[in-house]
Amino acid sequence: MASGPIMLVPMCLVENKNEQFSVNQKALKILSKISQPVVVVAIVGLYRTGKSYLMNCLAREKLGFPLGSTVQSETKGIWMWCVPHPSKPSHTLVLLDTEGLGDVEKGDPKNDSWIFALAVLLSSVFVYNSMSTINHDALEKLHYVTELTEFIRAKSSPVSNGAEDSTEFVSFFPDFIWTVRDFTLELKLNGRPITEDEYLENALRLIPGVNPKLKNSNRLKECIRHFFPKRKCFVFDRPTNDKELLAHVEDILESQLDPKFRKQTDNFCSYIYTHAKTKTLREGVKVTGNRLGTLVVTYVDTINKGSVPCLENAVTTLAQLENSAAVQKAADHYSEQMAQRVRFPTDTLQELLHLHAACEREATEIFMEHSFKDDQREFQKKLMEILKNKKESILLQNEEASAKYCQDRLEQLSTDLMESISAGTFSVSGGHKLYRKEKDRIERHYWQMPGKGVKAKEVFQKFIESQVTIEKSILQTDRALTQSEKALAEEQAMKEAAEKEQAWLRQKNQEQQQQIEAQHRSIQENIVQLREKLETEREDFLRDQTRILEHKMKIQEDFLNEGFKKKSEEMEAEINHLRNLIETTEKEKTPWISQALDHLATEASAILSAPAKLVDKGLRWLGSLFK
């Protein structure tokens, strides 16, 4: 497992003591280190039906989850085993083994319902394990499915169209697999051979009648068909007919198992490895080990508070944590890349702004990849603000590095000039000419010097300004010049100083324009990436809704074929609502996305407006250089 620790043995994830749930912190620590997407397989069923054996097979280990050989339930709570996925690179297979349902030692029957609900909420494949055959008795023991509406909520508020909250279950419930152990029947229907899946679907057909038991049975079947659109069935012969060997099945050799049972087990494992999907939330958000840990904590805390776990609330909680982490990850990437790519001082501001734009683009891509459900763009705007502040800090560092370098070089170049001024060397006849010659030499060498950076003109301008009074004094004491020549020289010096100041101001204006253009590019980059993300989310939403619509229409057709015309007609309103939702989403593609982009552009403009404090700080520091 490239992104997490390898678990040699299973560990309790959700402890169930005195009918109170708690999350094992050691298990959470393991999940927190798994950054890969996870495929989560949970198994539930009556105690002593061989659930743990199947999970050990999926882990490719004989020993792991405890196998009880007595009538006492071995597994308490929910146990977890994280192993490398055998066929999906960069994925982790998370196996969840639950305590047996219907344990006589339990006091509160609700305890089983919570275990069942947690297994559904956490898994991407939900395996229900039972014995012998799928008959009325077996279905009755699966009554937990009908109770899911009491133990799981899809939304925190009522559905807008008045439909039941459970109609949303199909959008996030796991695939359903029914495993039937010690199966002794022939797979035939009306004398015709049938597959295991056909056996299951036939068992889930509604039977007309008014008998209360029949109605309850039909309600259970409806719930399974409604909540779990993708269903699969596997039947298993007895592992061995030797009761002594059967009591210690984990210790017997592979060759001692019934060949048919071995093949059935291999088929089951192969199907899981190949077809079990990655755990996802709505809008295609993939669940990693770390995210799974957050979901576990959120659901268990909610149950312990006496409330019903709500997917929408759990996703919101997860999004807050994940989006904060995404902002940090993106900001760290920006800092690391700028530190690697920037060499202070840069020759031009544009060079630095180009580096910033490249690193900002990469950071935004990282944020978009790892964030979700940032509906108000709060986290994206937070990242923009962080990157803006980091950019301004880097710009200031660049200016300070340039100013210091230029000042140091100028001090070296002007050492002879300043010593000559102090010694009075220029206070003689023809002194002004000598002074000008030395000053011109300094200027020539200064501009020939490489690597001065963005403050080159400004620093030199400050140097020129610092020499104005000195040159005027030298000029006035030079006896070799007439008054008119002095006036002309003074005028020439002022003209040159003014030209240099204009050049510096032009550079400042140009850099301000470059800053404005950089801000526009930043906003545009954020808009482009947001547009791509919104369009992807929209396509995911449409794909999910289309899948749900097809599922509902299939159920409606089945109801009609099974003679339940009224039930079929009752689904029409729900199906029409889905059709309208899909059509509206397709038609309003541009306005919906444009509105979100316009809103971001407006707020981003305010965020990226250059603050004065850093610029002022830089100018105050620079102004002190030649005092």
Side-chain angles (χ1 to χ4, degrees):
M1 196 187 324
S3 69
I6 294 175
M7 292 181 67
L8 299 177
V9 292
M11 177 183 293
C12 188
L13 174 62
V14 179
E15 297 173 347
N16 184 14
K17 293 181 179 178
N18 302 320
E19 297 173 2
Q20 182 77 10
F21 296 115
S22 62
V23 181
N24 181 2
Q25 295 303 310
K26 290 182 179 179
L28 274 185
K29 190 173 181 181
I30 289 174
L31 287 176
S32 70
K33 295 177 180 178
I34 300 175
S35 58
Q36 296 176 338
V38 292
V39 175
V40 187
V41 181
I43 191 165
V44 300
L46 298 180
Y47 72 103
R48 296 300 305 120
T49 55
K51 301 187 309 299
S52 300
Y53 177 83
L54 281 182
M55 298 306 268
N56 287 341
C57 288
L58 287 174
R60 297 181 168 182
E61 296 287 348
K62 291 189 70 175
L63 298 175
F65 292 110
L67 308 180
S69 57
T70 68
V71 294
Q72 188 176 27
S73 175
E74 287 289 328
T75 306
K76 297 294 183 183
I78 299 177
W79 283 64
M80 173 187 80
W81 201 352
C82 302
V83 298
H85 198 288
S87 61
K88 285 189 177 181
S90 303
H91 281 67
T92 296
L93 180 62
V94 179
L95 304 173
L96 300 180
D97 189 16
T98 63
E99 66 179 77
L101 304 175
D103 188 349
V104 293
E105 296 178 7
K106 293 180 190 174
D108 186 0
K110 251 189 176 182
N111 203 257
D112 281 345
S113 298
W114 284 127
I115 291 287
F116 193 94
L118 280 172
V120 169
L121 285 168
L122 297 175
S123 64
S124 53
V125 174
F126 179 86
V127 181
Y128 179 70
N129 192 66
S130 70
M131 301 296 289
S132 184
T133 182
I134 302 178
N135 54 19
H136 180 75
D137 183 57
L139 285 165
E140 274 196 336
K141 290 185 172 99
L142 192 50
H143 63 87
Y144 305 98
V145 174
T146 62
E147 298 169 0
L148 285 175
T149 55
E150 301 172 30
F151 292 89
I152 294 175
R153 297 288 301 171
K155 291 184 174 292
S156 57
S157 56
V159 182
S160 59
N161 66 330
E164 292 184 13
D165 184 78
S166 60
T167 60
E168 301 276 332
F169 286 0
V170 64
S171 66
F172 63 90
F173 267 27
D175 294 344
F176 180 88
I177 296 179
W178 194 323
T179 53
V180 186
R181 312 296 290 278
D182 296 355
F183 186 77
T184 57
L185 300 178
E186 279 191 277
L187 283 174
K188 285 188 175 182
L189 181 64
N190 299 325
R192 177 181 64 85
I194 57 172
T195 65
E196 294 156 301
D197 293 345
E198 289 172 332
Y199 171 68
L200 171 61
E201 293 308 309
N202 183 68
L204 295 179
R205 286 176 63 87
L206 304 190
I207 301 174
V210 294
N211 183 292
K213 284 188 175 181
L214 193 61
K215 282 188 174 181
N216 286 337
S217 178
N218 280 345
R219 181 167 175 263
L220 172 63
K221 294 174 183 179
E222 279 187 68
C223 287
I224 295 174
R225 287 159 62 164
H226 275 287
F227 299 164
F228 302 99
K230 188 173 181 181
R231 300 181 293 273
K232 185 78 178 167
C233 180
F234 289 92
V235 300
F236 298 83
D237 286 35
R238 285 177 71 86
T240 174
N241 289 318
D242 188 322
K243 286 187 177 181
E244 289 186 11
L245 289 177
L246 194 61
H248 302 282
V249 69
E250 72 274 18
D251 295 327
I252 68 176
L253 298 173
E254 189 83 6
S255 59
Q256 293 176 290
L257 292 172
D258 185 291
K260 198 171 182 182
F261 174 79
R262 289 209 312 266
K263 187 174 188 307
Q264 290 162 339
T265 304
D266 289 344
N267 289 341
F268 169 75
C269 292
S270 177
Y271 178 85
I272 293 292
Y273 297 151
T274 307
H275 297 285
K277 62 188 180 182
T278 302
K279 174 68 177 172
T280 57
L281 303 174
R282 283 175 167 177
E283 298 173 354
V285 176
K286 290 184 178 180
V287 175
T288 61
N290 184 43
R291 291 176 177 178
L292 183 65
T294 301
L295 290 175
V296 173
V297 171
T298 304
Y299 291 141
V300 169
D301 285 350
T302 302
I303 292 170
N304 287 337
K305 290 174 184 174
S307 301
V308 176
C310 171
L311 177 76
E312 186 175 51
N313 290 344
V315 171
T316 298
T317 299
L318 182 60
Q320 292 287 320
L321 294 171
E322 289 290 305
N323 292 345
S324 294
V327 169
Q328 188 63 52
K329 188 179 183 72
D332 289 346
H333 177 84
Y334 175 87
S335 297
E336 291 166 4
Q337 291 303 307
M338 287 296 283
Q340 290 177 19
R341 301 181 195 184
V342 177
R343 294 293 176 266
F344 295 126
T346 60
D347 288 334
T348 64
L349 173 63
Q350 195 67 19
E351 178 187 342
L352 186 56
L353 291 176
H354 280 316
L355 289 172
H356 158 75
C359 294
E360 180 188 42
R361 181 174 59 254
E362 293 172 13
T364 305
E365 287 171 351
I366 288 172
F367 170 77
M368 291 296 181
E369 180 185 353
H370 292 89
S371 65
F372 63 95
K373 203 173 173 57
D374 186 19
D375 297 336
Q376 302 303 315
R377 317 302 159 205
E378 291 179 15
F379 291 95
Q380 185 176 2
K381 289 182 287 187
K382 181 66 176 175
L383 177 62
M384 292 176 73
E385 185 175 5
I386 290 172
L387 296 187
K388 175 205 69 176
N389 291 336
K390 286 180 178 288
K391 180 195 77 171
E392 289 175 347
S393 176
I394 290 170
L395 290 178
L396 184 58
Q397 289 179 56
N398 194 47
E399 291 176 358
E400 290 177 347
S402 173
K404 187 177 186 310
Y405 179 80
C406 292
Q407 171 64 8
D408 290 345
R409 298 291 83 78
L410 261 181
E411 284 181 357
Q412 292 175 5
L413 290 172
S414 61
T415 299
D416 291 345
L417 175 69
M418 303 310 289
E419 288 177 354
S420 296
I421 291 171
S422 298
T425 303
F426 303 121
S427 300
V428 296
S429 179
H432 182 258
K433 185 176 181 181
L434 293 174
Y435 170 82
R436 289 289 302 189
K437 184 177 180 181
E438 182 60 21
K439 185 180 168 187
D440 290 345
R441 182 193 67 79
I442 292 171
E443 181 173 3
R444 186 171 60 255
H445 281 81
Y446 178 80
W447 291 115
Q448 288 174 351
M449 184 177 62
K452 294 182 293 297
V454 295
K455 288 296 180 182
K457 289 181 180 177
E458 189 170 348
V459 169
F460 194 76
Q461 178 62 23
K462 295 294 181 182
F463 171 74
I464 293 297
E465 290 173 1
S466 71
Q467 294 295 308
V468 169
T469 304
I470 295 172
E471 182 173 359
K472 191 172 183 180
S473 175
I474 293 172
L475 183 64
Q476 294 304 321
T477 58
D478 192 340
R479 298 175 182 176
L481 298 174
T482 64
Q483 288 299 321
S484 61
E485 286 173 332
K486 289 179 181 180
L488 187 63
E490 186 175 347
E491 182 182 345
Q492 182 64 27
M494 291 177 63
K495 182 180 178 182
E496 289 176 1
E499 287 175 352
K500 288 180 173 60
E501 183 175 13
Q502 286 300 313
W504 169 50
L505 290 174
R506 282 194 299 273
Q507 180 187 337
K508 282 186 65 176
N509 289 335
Q510 182 184 37
E511 289 178 348
Q512 287 175 358
Q513 185 61 34
Q514 289 172 350
Q515 286 266 39
I516 292 171
E517 291 172 357
Q519 289 173 19
H520 289 164
R521 284 195 298 271
S522 178
I523 294 172
Q524 191 60 35
E525 181 62 39
N526 273 273
I527 287 174
V528 166
Q529 292 202 33
L530 178 59
R531 180 191 295 276
E532 291 176 358
K533 189 175 181 67
L534 290 176
E535 288 180 347
T536 299
E537 288 177 354
R538 176 183 164 277
E539 292 303 319
D540 288 340
F541 175 79
L542 282 172
R543 187 161 46 250
D544 285 346
Q545 294 305 308
T546 301
R547 179 177 57 83
I548 294 170
L549 176 61
E550 291 171 351
H551 171 59
K552 300 288 185 185
M553 291 174 67
K554 174 70 166 58
I555 293 175
Q556 185 185 44
E557 183 183 357
D558 289 344
F559 278 159
L560 202 58
N561 293 336
E562 292 166 15
F564 290 83
K565 185 178 180 183
K566 186 177 178 182
K567 285 184 178 293
S568 177
E569 290 171 348
E570 287 172 352
M571 292 190 67
E572 194 63 31
E574 187 182 347
I575 288 172
N576 285 336
H577 170 72
L578 276 170
R579 281 200 184 105
N580 291 335
L581 181 62
I582 292 170
E583 288 176 8
T584 302
T585 304
E586 287 175 338
K587 288 178 182 176
E588 294 184 355
K589 173 183 176 181
T590 305
W592 173 67
I593 293 179
S594 295
Q595 186 178 10
L597 299 179
D598 289 344
H599 183 69
L600 176 67
T602 300
E603 298 203 3
S605 296
I607 291 170
L608 295 179
S609 296
K613 58 182 180 180
L614 286 177
V615 177
D616 288 346
K617 179 183 174 185
L619 291 176
R620 285 199 300 272
W621 179 83
L622 185 61
S624 67
L625 286 176
F626 295 97
K627 288 183 179 179

